[in-house]
Structures are given as structure tokens and as C-alpha cells.
Amino acid sequence: MLRLDHVTKTYRTGSFGSKRITAVNDVTFDVEPGQVLSLIGESGSGKTTIGRMILRLTPLSAGTISFDGTDVSTLRRHGLKDYYRGVQGVFQDPFSSYNPIFRIDRIFSMIRSGYFPHEDGRAWRSKLDASLEAVGLTPGDVLGKFPHQLSGGQLQRLLVARALLLEIRILVADEIISMLDASTRIDVLNLLGDLKARGLGIVFITHDLSLGNYISDRTVILRRGAIVEMGATEKVFGDPRHPYTKMLLASVPHLHERWSGDAVERHSQAADDADASGKVAELVEVADDHLAAVG
Amino acid sequence: MALAVDDLKVYYRTLAGDVRALDGVTFSIADGEIMGLAGESGCGKSTLGKSLIRLDTRMRYVGGSITVDGDELPIWDDERANDFRFRRVSIVPQYAMSALNPTRKIGRMIEEVLKSRGVAFEQVEPELHRRLELVGLPESVLGLFPIELSGGMKQRTVMVLSTLLDPSVLIADEITSALDVSTQKAVAEMLVEFRNRGFVKSMIVITHDLSVLYQMADSILVMYAGKLAEKAPSDTIISSPRHPYTKMLISSLPEVGVRFAEKRLTGIAGRPPSLLDPPPGCRFRDRCPLASERCLEEPPFVEIAEGHQVACWEVAA
Amino acid sequence: MNALRESLHFAVRNRKLVFGSAITIGMLLFALFGPLFAQHPALEYGGKLSWAPTTRDGYWFGTTMFGQDVYAQFVNGLRLAFVVGALGGGIAAGVGMLVGFTAGYRSGIVDEILNMLTNVVLVIPTFAVLLVIAAYLKVRGIMTESVFIGLTSWPWAARALRAQTFSLVSRDFVDMARLSGRSSRQIIFKEIAPNMSSYLFMMFILLFGGSILIAATLDFIGLGPSNTISLGMMMQLSVQNAALQLHLWWWFLPPGLAIMAIVGSLYVMNVGLDEVFNPKLREM
């Protein structure tokens, strides 16, 4: 449904753009309906850039992103608007996603004026109510309020409700729960799980491995813009092959197990060594639906 | 007793009234103890950390006392409290990486901070070099500008600076929140090392991340809506929590290995109460599955086992 | 309490804002109604020469060395000052917004070009240009002066607005608007500008005051309008004709104090407004 093919993003910096920074390096993967794909990486891994490129907020430098076979980068105004009917995004900071001087209803009225201009008041209202209920919100609790009057969890859910109004098929969720409280995080995450069951494809971007492990069917591990390991989640987490993946898993603080000795340093060193050649290693199939850059 | 806090109340002044951010907390930290202070947004943990160092203009000291090594820390008196700052009570702030003045070289900045405390740079210079080496920073870092250092290096620099005069109490305010998971581990282990070597006597580690606290803290204090909920050794809090809030919080945390398809975790429905006009009695009452008539009266923070204190009628019974 | 009511609450309690606006409004009222009390046309050589302020014949501010009514000239000048402020400030604000918003929102090559334009206008020697214009246009009115001031004082406004726009563009709600199919123009005017409304308001006040000051300076060195008398011109004429030495204080003091009062109170108002709009600056 959504396919990324050798997608690359480079930035020019330095005087007269003499230097180049590669934020995303030759990334290829696809997202199927009813599937959650996690993009896991630390800061600087390029995961947010990939999300933005999927949403056409940042242009690609090379490669193609196609949705249902159509190359997304060729879309202009009308085609782009159609694209957004099928693909939407939710970002990390709920309070930054709303214009603070307007009420939250504005995000819905923008969708209405842009995509449903001829819908009459009552039909729209019932559509809106259905969307809100689908994300676990009571219309009376949230409509007519300003962003600062609601909690982060409610704001994020409202953004998902907005996306649902359009009957999207792919949702790009970029660190959507990292700024929420621990006790509300899991509920928003469960919401994504429910939407997946209804056929939505989700690109779940996070730095938190436990969240990725909880919710996703397939996982992509990114390091400095390149994929180091990808495949079915239980395989990537259960049988990590690349030293970087091993290092990440060893660094995660667990709740019933203390950090063990020098595992992190060992794997970190191995990852750096693998990286020393400067070239991006090839992804090889190490098992069914499990690839790692150990070539 | 490195730190003893007794019935501390600090409120925020707003147009609409006083926000009772810290509403009577009492606890103590022994010498050499690393205590984790956990809770969600609005629970008062940041207010507690900040009030030990410096009350900002919106905060109002309402009551209670704080003693550091037996001496009273007068937080309401900015000038007298100044004697404690940096020497006896120090802080590693959140976003420490942006705490460094971008126009000053590191060495010069350290010199200025020390001078403002009445300490000559030459006096502590050898110790400074020793500590930089301990955290893995080259001596040359003193001659660099902050922009030339990586995030992890800046974090370590701030940690060294904050502990240079061997404070009795170090407050680490959400220092691991903005870090990658590998740097997070390094920083957490470094803090423990500082305590082991005696650079700091005791520590309060403020964070919402219980799993990091499990890894590094000796004991964990859980706060909710301005009050204390539970305090116990880390192992106990994680494996056998008693307060309903703590229990529900821990069971809502996904660990690597738990999957949505197999075991659906649940959060805690509802939101913390408004601290402008908090409800009487236990503040967790509205969201607690065990709530009863008794909970209309505030439960005291009592000891139910050695080193384990809880504020809940159901548990204390 | 919503944002507007909260702002008003703080506004009426802010001493600087109240004080500043009181003076400005006072001067404005004086400018509007003062001329109704003038008993002689401003340029008429009617009265006795160099009279001190007196109630005789309604020469309340006395007369100039040439027998003109200082009061009439003064209230006329006050009116002109407000016109220059509004028109010059308005044009500068308009151009500044256009350039600043576009440069901040678009970035890239458009930003570079607009930046260059801003810098060029900034560097133009306004006096030299004005002298050239003065040489060509025999009759210059207050309108010409206002337009000229407006077209040469917008660069710093454009710069400031560009910076503000930059910071807002990186906020997620702009991305959200894009994901809702909004065009760039719609985003600038419906999302970004309203967010900056307090900033734009303050900027306009500064441009208003600045225009008056620039006009006074230009008038003082003789580049003012040729068909009327403004406050700056009164000061120019009085100093040229040795009013200082002759102690004809009523000729140069009122215009000078008036300029100082208006511009000063506008700037004080601005500081007060900053405190009102910026919660961090408020004293509790």
C-alpha cells in the first residue's frame, strides 16, 4: 500500500553548501493495511525525517515513495489534497500541534472546509461525534475548549479523531505518546492497536523499544539514517543480529532486571567497528522476514 | 540524615488563586542514599526539587521545614539559602545541555561559577581535572565552547560542575529524559559512581521513568497531586507495591517482551485533580478502584513495614 | 479567562500602559479639537511681533517673530504629526509585514532575494534621496513626506517579523494546516499572523512613533513639507531666527515638548504592552 524505495535525504551545509549531511540513507520498506510498522532509532537516526517525507512535508533527495502505486513526490495541489485523504500524521508535542489562540474545533472545521464543504450541519456533527467516540472521547468534554484547557492525552486523541474523519488508510505517528504521562500513554497506544484491527496501516516512529515491541507487527531499526535491521517484531527483538540492535536492547532499563555488566560497551564497540568502513552494509536475509545489515 | 523534609508546603501564585503544588510532604534521606522521586506531570516532584534550590518568583513558601545535615535550610530567605546553594545542595537541571552559556568557554564558565561562590579556581583545579578524567572527558574540554561538545559530553560537564564542591544533596531533575537510551544508561551509572566515590552524599533523582529509577536508585518515593503516595526500597516498589496508584502505574508500563496481542495493558482512567481547589481527603480517590467513605479523610503517610511507607487507608488497615 | 479578557485585565492595571496611553490620547484630543479654538490662521502675519503668551486677541501661545499665532501653528502641527505617524507608520508596517511574512514563511531563494532588498533599502542614504526629491518637487505636502518615511523605514520591521515568522513556522500546527490542504497564503494570514497579533500591534506603535520622530528631524533640517507648518518646522524656524538667544521660549518649547510627549508616551505604552502580553514579565 505504502512503499518506500531507496529513499534518501541529504542536506547541504557549510559555506555555499559545500558539505553534505545524509539524514536518510537508501531506505526501503513497505506498510500494509492492518499492520503497525515501527521505525525505531535514537536521535539523528532519520526516523522523523522519513515520517515527514511520507507526509510530503519535506522533499526527498532521491528514491520514491508510492501510495497505491502512485509516486507521491509528483503530486501537486489537487493530487496532494487527495493524498492527504488517505495519509495523515500526528506529531510529538500535542500543545504545538494546535494554534493556541483558537479553539480545538478549528482542526475539525479545517477538515470540513477543505474536504466536506457541502456536508450539512447535522450530517457533519454526527460524523464528528462518531469519530470522537471511536477515539474514546466524549464530545461534550472536548468541543468548544481551548488547547490549554485539555490534557495532552485528549489533544492527541483529537488529532487521531481528525485523521479518522478523512477515512485514512495510513497514519504516521511520530513519537505521539512520548510527551504524555505514563498512565495515559498506554491508553492512546491501545487506541492505535484498535485502529490497526480495523484495517489502518500505522507507521509508528519511536525511540522507545518497549513501546515498539508492544504495538508493532514489524520493526525497522535505524542508525544514522540507514536500516541496520528489520523484520517481524518478535524476530528482531527475540533474535537480534546486528550489534547496534543488541546494544539498544541491552541499554533499555527493564523493570525487573538490572543492567548487566559490559554488554552495552561490547555491542556499542562492535557497532562502531562495523561502521568504521564508512559504507552502509548490505541488508541480508538472516531468517524468514528478518533482515540485518551484517553483510 | 543528609536531608529531612517536614510538612513542606509550596504553592504557586496565580490570578485564579493558589495552586497547591506541594501540599505537606514529609520524608528523609539517609547519608549515601539515592532516592528516586517519581510521579506524573503535576504531582509536585519538580516543585519539590526546585524549592530545595531556589524558589522562583511564582512560588510561595507556605510552611514546613527542611534540614540538611541537621542544619536548617531557610528556603524562604533567598540570601541565607545562598550559603547552601552549590556547596551543600546542588542541582543538575533538566536540559543541562542548554544550561551552558554558549559564549563562554567551559573552563572560563566554571571559573566564574566558582568565583561567585567565593572559591578560587586554582584551589579546586586538580580535583576538577581528576573528575573530568573519571567521566571520560579530556582536559582539553575546558578550552572548548559548548557548541563544540556533543550532548552527552555537555551532560557530563554539567554533572561534574554541579558536584565539584561535594554537596550533601544533589538534585537531578529529569536528566535522562531528553537522552538516547544508551546515553541514558551511561549518565545513570555515572551518577551512581559519583555517590559511590563520595562526591555527593545523597541524591534525589526526579523523573517520571520508573524503570530508570529501578536501575539506579536505592529507594523510590512516588508522588501524586502534591502529596506523597508511597515510599519504599526500589525492589519493593517495583515488585510489590502497595498503594493503588503505584500498582496501577506499574502495570501500565510496557516492558520489552510484553505485546499488545498477548496481554493488553491498561492505563488509569481520568486525570489528576486540579490543584487550585483540591478535593478533600485522598487525592487519588476519584480514580481509585478501592475508594470508600473513609477516603474522604486524608490518609496519613505511615510506615507499614521496615522502610516502606504508604498513604492509603486500605493498605494501612 | 480567555486570552483577550486576561489581556484587558492586565492592561488596565499596568501603570506604564495607562500613563502612556493617557498622554497619547490627550494629545490626540488636543490635535482634534484644538484647531477649533484657534483664532487666527496658522500662517497669517497678523499680530504683533514676538509677543509672549497672552490672552489678548487669543494669542495663547504668543506670536512668532513674524507675527504668526504660535497656538494655531502648534495645533496644526499636532494634527500633521498624527497624520504622518498613521500614514508613515501604516505604510512601513504594511510593507514590513508583506516582506517579513513572505521571507519567513518561504525561506530559500525567496528569502535571500527579500533579504537583499531589505538590506538595500536599509542602506539607502535617506537624506540624500530626500534632498534630490526636494530639488525636483517644488511643492511637497505632508502626504509625500509620509509616503517617503513609510517606504524607507520598513526594513527593521520586516527583519523582526521575518524572525518571528520563522519561529512560528516550525511549530507543528503549521504542518497540521498543510496536512489539511491549506495553501501557503492561507496559512500565513489565518494561522501565523493572528498568533502574532500582539507583536504586530506593538510594532505598529513603534513605527507610528518612529515616523513622527523622523518627520520632526526632516522638518528641522528644512526638508519638511513646503505648504504648511509642522512641529518640526516650528522648531527649525525658531532656532534659525535666534529664538533661543532672544528667549522666545514660547516658540520652540511647545513643539519640542509635544514631540517628546507623544513619542515618549508611545514608547512607554509599548513597554507596558510588552508586560501585558508577555506573562513572564508580569509582576504578580
Side-chain angles (χ1 to χ4, degrees):
Chain A
M1 184 170 51
L2 178 77
R3 186 174 170 79
L4 276 75
D5 233 324
H6 299 292
V7 167
T8 303
K9 175 74 187 169
T10 49
Y11 289 102
R12 304 183 100 139
T13 55
S15 43
F16 302 111
S18 49
K19 281 193 280 216
R20 292 205 123 128
I21 294 184
T22 308
V24 178
N25 199 341
D26 197 21
V27 164
T28 301
F29 64 82
D30 42 28
V31 186
E32 297 301 323
Q35 196 189 74
V36 178
L37 176 102
S38 292
L39 289 181
I40 298 187
E42 302 187 305
S43 54
S45 58
K47 56 192 195 300
T48 295
T49 314
I50 293 177
R52 289 181 68 88
M53 288 196 287
I54 294 175
L55 291 171
R56 276 291 307 265
L57 295 172
T58 302
L60 282 83
S61 302
T64 46
I65 298 182
S66 28
F67 182 57
D68 281 348
T70 323
D71 186 355
V72 159
S73 52
T74 60
L75 298 173
R76 288 274 159 264
R77 295 213 46 197
H78 198 74
L80 197 54
K81 208 163 159 192
D82 263 339
Y83 178 59
Y84 289 147
R85 232 183 263 266
V87 178
Q88 278 290 333
V90 179
F91 305 111
Q92 182 176 23
D93 186 352
F95 293 97
S96 173
S97 302
Y98 292 81
N99 195 329
I101 60 177
F102 296 122
R103 291 176 206 273
I104 60 103
D105 306 58
R106 197 143 185 283
I107 61 167
F108 299 121
S109 54
M110 275 207 279
I111 294 289
R112 183 179 182 186
S113 59
Y115 290 90
F116 303 98
H118 307 297
E119 191 119 343
D120 78 66
R122 220 142 29 107
W124 176 252
R125 188 53 207 256
S126 58
K127 219 175 144 104
L128 188 53
D129 284 348
S131 258
L132 289 172
E133 263 140 50
V135 299
L137 288 173
T138 319
D141 283 346
V142 293
L143 292 177
K145 298 245 165 74
F146 284 96
H148 65 266
Q149 294 174 299
L150 299 173
S151 73
Q154 287 171 313
L155 293 175
Q156 295 294 58
R157 284 177 201 253
L158 282 169
L159 290 174
V160 178
R162 168 191 167 276
L164 291 179
L165 280 172
L166 290 164
E167 289 165 36
I168 52 166
R169 291 151 59 210
I170 296 261
L171 180 70
V172 176
D174 189 349
E175 302 267 24
I176 65 172
I177 58 179
S178 62
M179 290 186 82
L180 303 181
D181 276 332
S183 60
T184 47
R185 254 182 224 192
I186 205 72
D187 290 328
V188 177
L189 207 48
N190 286 339
L191 170 62
L192 288 185
D194 291 335
L195 294 177
K196 169 187 96 154
R198 285 164 40 163
L200 188 61
I202 301 178
V203 178
F204 186 71
I205 300 174
T206 183
H207 66 278
D208 189 332
L209 286 101
S210 31
L211 296 177
N213 181 235
Y214 180 73
I215 194 74
S216 59
D217 302 299
R218 306 184 68 237
T219 298
V220 171
I221 308 271
L222 289 163
R223 182 186 191 220
R224 296 193 195 144
I227 299 182
V228 295
E229 192 154 356
M230 65 187 272
T233 302
E234 58 272 7
K235 298 210 175 154
V236 172
F237 280 80
D239 181 27
R241 297 300 183 93
H242 194 277
Y244 182 69
T245 319
K246 294 185 196 172
M247 183 213 72
L248 281 183
L249 284 167
S251 312
V252 170
H254 291 257
L255 267 181
H256 293 92
E257 213 183 286
R258 292 243 148 75
W259 280 318
S260 59
D262 65 342
V264 175
E265 286 71 38
R266 262 189 300 121
H267 297 311
S268 180
Q269 189 59 54
D272 285 337
D273 289 341
D275 212 37
S277 63
K279 279 197 303 147
V280 177
E282 282 289 306
L283 279 171
V284 298
E285 188 157 339
V286 296
D288 180 32
D289 196 15
H290 186 179
L291 296 104
V294 290
Chain B
M1 233 5 83
L3 179 71
V5 173
D6 188 33
D7 199 33
L8 182 61
K9 292 195 172 91
V10 175
Y11 297 169
Y12 281 90
R13 282 182 282 215
T14 66
L15 260 188
D18 278 339
V19 174
R20 300 159 76 143
L22 208 57
D23 215 356
V25 305
T26 304
F27 66 91
S28 57
I29 304 182
D31 288 356
E33 182 181 339
I34 296 182
M35 182 187 88
L37 184 51
E40 299 178 296
S41 48
C43 69
K45 59 188 196 299
S46 303
T47 311
L48 179 52
K50 279 194 219 156
S51 55
L52 287 173
I53 273 283
R54 184 171 170 269
L55 296 175
D56 70 41
T57 48
R58 298 165 301 163
M59 292 160 75
R60 190 165 73 92
Y61 165 78
V62 176
S65 73
I66 303 174
T67 43
V68 176
D69 290 333
D71 299 321
E72 192 185 35
L73 169 57
I75 58 171
W76 54 90
D77 185 342
D78 202 41
E79 253 188 70
R80 279 205 293 146
N82 211 22
D83 296 331
F84 284 78
R85 283 182 203 127
F86 195 66
R87 286 173 179 278
R88 303 179 66 180
V89 181
S90 192
I91 187 168
V92 179
Q94 197 177 7
Y95 304 120
M97 309 183 246
S98 17
L100 299 171
N101 187 338
T103 62
R104 287 272 190 284
K105 290 194 181 173
I106 304 290
R108 173 98 187 276
M109 187 201 77
I110 296 181
E111 198 181 319
E112 282 176 0
V113 173
L114 291 171
K115 196 161 140 208
S116 74
R117 296 280 130 203
V119 176
F121 185 67
E122 299 76 44
Q123 252 184 295
V124 292
E125 202 171 346
E127 185 61 30
L128 174 63
H129 290 315
R130 261 199 294 277
R131 298 205 182 171
L132 285 174
E133 202 188 317
L134 174 70
V135 301
L137 285 171
E139 219 172 276
S140 53
V141 84
L142 292 174
L144 295 176
F145 286 101
I147 199 166
E148 297 173 277
L149 303 177
S150 76
M153 287 169 87
K154 280 189 263 198
Q155 185 71 292
R156 280 177 278 168
T157 310
V158 175
M159 277 163 59
V160 167
L161 176 55
S162 296
T163 53
L164 202 48
L165 296 185
D166 292 350
S168 301
V169 179
L170 178 69
I171 301 160
D173 189 1
E174 298 271 15
I175 57 173
T176 54
S177 306
L179 300 177
D180 286 333
V181 79
S182 45
T183 325
Q184 196 181 65
K185 177 171 185 286
V187 166
E189 290 181 335
M190 200 172 297
L191 276 182
V192 176
E193 184 69 19
F194 275 29
R195 188 273 313 261
N196 293 347
R197 288 188 182 230
F199 296 163
V200 294
K201 223 194 287 186
S202 58
M203 241 187 264
I204 302 181
V205 181
I206 303 175
T207 177
H208 60 274
D209 191 343
L210 277 170
S211 39
V212 164
L213 288 181
Y214 175 72
Q215 302 290 337
M216 66 179 289
D218 302 314
S219 61
I220 298 178
L221 173 57
V222 178
M223 284 186 73
Y224 184 79
K227 298 232 179 242
L228 301 179
E230 187 166 5
K231 180 175 191 249
S234 326
D235 283 318
T236 319
I237 281 267
I238 299 294
S239 52
S240 43
R242 301 296 301 279
H243 193 286
Y245 173 64
T246 320
K247 280 163 107 163
M248 289 170 84
L249 188 61
I250 291 179
S251 62
S252 78
L253 300 175
E255 262 213 272
V256 174
V258 176
R259 305 208 63 205
F260 174 78
E262 300 151 20
K263 178 188 171 199
R264 218 176 133 125
L265 300 172
T266 43
I268 311 178
R271 286 161 74 175
S274 153
L275 293 177
L276 253 183
D277 187 20
C282 176
R283 296 199 174 166
F284 189 57
R285 191 166 37 98
D286 291 331
R287 301 166 84 186
C288 183
L290 303 177
S292 67
E293 283 289 305
R294 239 185 331 176
C295 303
L296 282 167
E297 191 190 322
E298 193 182 317
F301 193 59
V302 292
E303 184 148 334
I304 56 163
E306 168 99 36
H308 192 163
Q309 296 157 296
V310 183
C312 178
W313 293 117
E314 282 300 314
V315 175
Chain C
M1 255 205 231
N2 76 4
L4 186 59
R5 276 189 58 205
E6 201 181 315
S7 297
L8 283 173
H9 170 98
F10 281 107
V12 300
R13 279 168 184 64
N14 187 298
R15 282 200 297 250
K16 296 174 191 123
L17 182 56
V18 169
F19 178 66
S21 22
I23 295 190
T24 308
I25 294 177
M27 297 303 271
L28 180 62
L29 291 173
F30 199 169
L32 286 173
F33 299 113
L36 300 173
F37 298 97
Q39 297 195 356
H40 312 268
L43 296 172
E44 185 188 81
Y45 299 99
K48 290 291 179 69
L49 307 181
S50 310
W51 263 0
T54 169
T55 50
R56 260 193 292 171
D57 290 339
Y59 288 110
W60 296 298
F61 281 21
T63 64
T64 70
M65 185 178 271
F66 311 110
Q68 295 161 315
D69 181 6
V70 174
Y71 177 80
Q73 291 193 338
F74 179 76
V75 288
N76 186 51
L78 262 191
R79 276 198 175 178
L80 291 178
F82 278 99
V83 167
V84 157
L87 198 54
I91 293 176
V95 178
M97 284 204 295
L98 193 61
V99 173
F101 281 152
T102 316
Y105 187 78
R106 292 256 160 196
S107 47
I109 191 84
V110 174
D111 184 25
E112 301 268 334
I113 294 176
L114 287 175
N115 255 352
M116 229 174 355
L117 177 66
T118 310
N119 288 334
V120 166
V121 175
L122 200 53
V123 163
I124 288 178
T126 43
F127 286 158
V129 174
L130 196 48
L131 281 170
V132 171
I133 294 180
Y136 276 96
L137 294 175
K138 287 303 166 207
V139 178
R140 299 179 310 280
I142 196 72
M143 291 298 165
T144 319
E145 189 180 33
S146 306
V147 168
F148 182 78
I149 291 175
L151 291 177
T152 50
S153 54
W154 60 262
W156 77 264
R159 279 255 177 87
L161 285 173
R162 171 178 170 266
Q164 275 286 81
T165 309
F166 260 155
S167 76
L168 282 175
V169 156
S170 62
R171 298 273 291 278
D172 291 335
F173 66 78
V174 172
D175 283 337
M176 276 293 154
R178 285 204 194 113
L179 287 178
S180 304
R182 291 271 169 127
S183 70
S184 303
R185 231 188 86 243
Q186 285 174 309
I187 294 179
I188 291 180
F189 287 111
K190 293 207 179 141
E191 303 286 333
I192 296 183
N195 235 312
M196 288 168 52
S197 53
S198 58
Y199 192 79
L200 291 171
F201 187 54
M202 282 167 60
M203 168 162 295
F204 177 67
I205 292 184
L206 282 179
L207 287 171
F208 192 99
S211 288
I212 296 179
L213 210 49
I214 296 175
T217 315
L218 290 177
D219 296 347
F220 190 74
I221 60 173
L223 292 173
S226 57
N227 55 5
T228 181
I229 288 277
S230 68
L231 295 174
M233 289 172 78
M234 284 173 76
M235 295 185 68
Q236 180 216 12
L237 288 170
S238 61
V239 168
Q240 254 182 12
N241 292 291
L244 285 163
Q245 287 77 9
L246 295 173
H247 306 297
L248 303 178
W249 57 267
W250 56 90
W251 196 6
F252 56 83
L253 221 44
L257 287 176
I259 295 173
M260 208 175 79
I262 300 178
V263 179
S265 61
L266 282 171
Y267 286 163
V268 167
M269 258 176 85
N270 226 357
V271 177
L273 273 174
D274 199 16
E275 284 172 9
V276 167
F277 289 132
N278 189 345
K280 294 192 197 135
L281 291 176
R282 288 180 202 150
E283 305 122 7
M284 266 315 293

